[in-house]
Amino acid sequence: MSAGFAEPGTKAEIEEGTAFMPRFGADGLITALAVDAATGEILMLAHMNRDALAKTIETGEAWYWSRSRGELWHKGATSGQVQTVVEMRVDCDQDALLLRVRVGGDGGCCHTGRRACFYRAVAVDAVSGRVGLTFVG
Amino acid sequence: MSAGFAEPGTKAEIEEGTAFMPRFGADGLITALAVDAATGEILMLAHMNRDALAKTIETGEAWYWSRSRGELWHKGATSGQVQTVVEMRVDCDQDALLLRVRVGGDGGCCHTGRRACFYRAVAVDAVSGRVGLTFVG
């Protein structure tokens, strides 16, 4: 194991304990949500493997696992949009992480150039009933 | 296919288009984040399969796929904590959903009885360097 997190214990230990037992999926990844610590804006949803999580804790900056590139990803290393972790939380069953971050560089996050990734809403056309997207961000 | 969503297209179509092309993973699931529409509080992170997503759109209430029970899950059906969808967004690469919801019943969400699932923060002990959790929610 590359990073020594505790193995998941009993349901009570996982849900009500103070031991950090991150539950990685069969793909070795845990979901991580990044939120702007100042505004509460939901920035992005990504994934971490054990190494990325360990590096995030060690450095205080968000590291992810890029599924598309298949490599460790220090968010902002090239763009300057480094995410300094103000607080990291874990959910009840310890299979999801919530990071409150301070964003460096131009304050953006999304690779499309937008500030955050959730810039389209799902909308149902009242006439056709067709489900589409509208830009909102 | 049980629910007729468009198949993922080109990168440009996925990221800049108005067609809804939800990208389900190899496990047939897409990540869905529920946020309290009134307060912005991050409530829970769960997953949907095609049926759950279709039912969510059709009914305006959040349906998920319970990975632990292996079944469709109409959130709140037994607890009364139904999540009425005020807005659903999709992220840049269309593999994550963000639901802004109005919560029914007692307004709670987490199966542990708490209002939201992210009630513990990851903390590093200053003396021992040990990584643990502290209750914050």
Side-chain angles (χ1 to χ4, degrees):
Chain A
M1 189 191 317
S2 54
F5 300 110
E7 290 299 312
T10 66
K11 182 175 163 71
E13 288 170 339
I14 292 170
E15 293 182 355
E16 301 294 338
T18 56
F20 187 36
M21 301 171 167
R23 291 171 60 209
F24 298 90
D27 55 3
L29 302 177
I30 189 168
T31 305
L33 173 72
V35 173
D36 188 303
T39 65
E41 184 178 16
I42 293 164
L43 297 174
M44 60 183 281
L45 197 141
H47 300 84
M48 294 181 181
N49 65 359
R50 288 180 186 273
D51 280 346
L53 178 54
K55 279 181 175 291
T56 298
I57 292 172
E58 286 163 21
T59 65
E61 296 178 350
W63 287 71
Y64 300 101
W65 175 258
S66 169
R67 297 190 298 181
S68 57
R69 297 193 301 272
E71 63 181 23
L72 268 181
W73 166 33
H74 181 197
K75 174 67 181 168
T78 54
S79 68
Q81 298 170 344
V82 170
Q83 298 179 345
T84 301
V85 180
V86 175
E87 183 189 52
M88 178 159 54
R89 295 192 181 193
V90 66
D91 76 344
C92 47
D93 51 6
Q94 299 209 34
D95 67 355
L97 301 169
L98 165 59
L99 281 71
R100 297 187 189 279
V101 301
R102 191 170 59 242
V103 183
D106 63 4
C109 157
C110 183
H111 75 287
T112 65
R114 297 175 179 86
R115 184 171 165 78
C117 296
F118 293 91
Y119 50 84
R120 287 171 298 181
V122 178
V124 182
D125 186 275
V127 177
S128 68
R130 200 179 71 86
V131 178
L133 300 177
T134 57
F135 284 81
V136 291
Chain B
M1 189 189 321
S2 54
F5 300 110
E7 291 299 313
T10 66
K11 182 174 163 70
E13 287 170 340
I14 291 170
E15 294 182 354
E16 301 294 337
T18 56
F20 187 36
M21 302 171 165
R23 291 172 60 208
F24 299 91
D27 55 3
L29 302 178
I30 189 168
T31 305
L33 172 73
V35 174
D36 188 302
T39 66
E41 184 177 17
I42 293 165
L43 298 173
M44 60 185 280
L45 196 141
H47 300 83
M48 295 182 180
N49 64 359
R50 287 180 186 274
D51 280 347
L53 178 54
K55 280 182 176 288
T56 299
I57 293 172
E58 286 163 21
T59 65
E61 295 178 352
W63 287 70
Y64 300 102
W65 176 257
S66 169
R67 295 189 300 181
S68 56
R69 297 194 303 273
E71 63 182 24
L72 268 181
W73 167 31
H74 181 197
K75 174 68 181 167
T78 54
S79 67
Q81 298 171 342
V82 169
Q83 297 179 344
T84 302
V85 180
V86 175
E87 183 188 51
M88 178 159 54
R89 294 192 182 193
V90 67
D91 76 345
C92 47
D93 50 6
Q94 299 210 31
D95 67 356
L97 301 170
L98 164 60
L99 281 71
R100 297 188 190 276
V101 301
R102 191 170 60 242
V103 183
D106 63 5
C109 157
C110 183
H111 76 286
T112 66
R114 298 175 179 86
R115 184 170 166 76
C117 296
F118 292 92
Y119 49 84
R120 287 170 298 181
V122 178
V124 181
D125 185 276
V127 178
S128 68
R130 201 180 70 87
V131 179
L133 302 177
T134 56
F135 284 81
V136 290

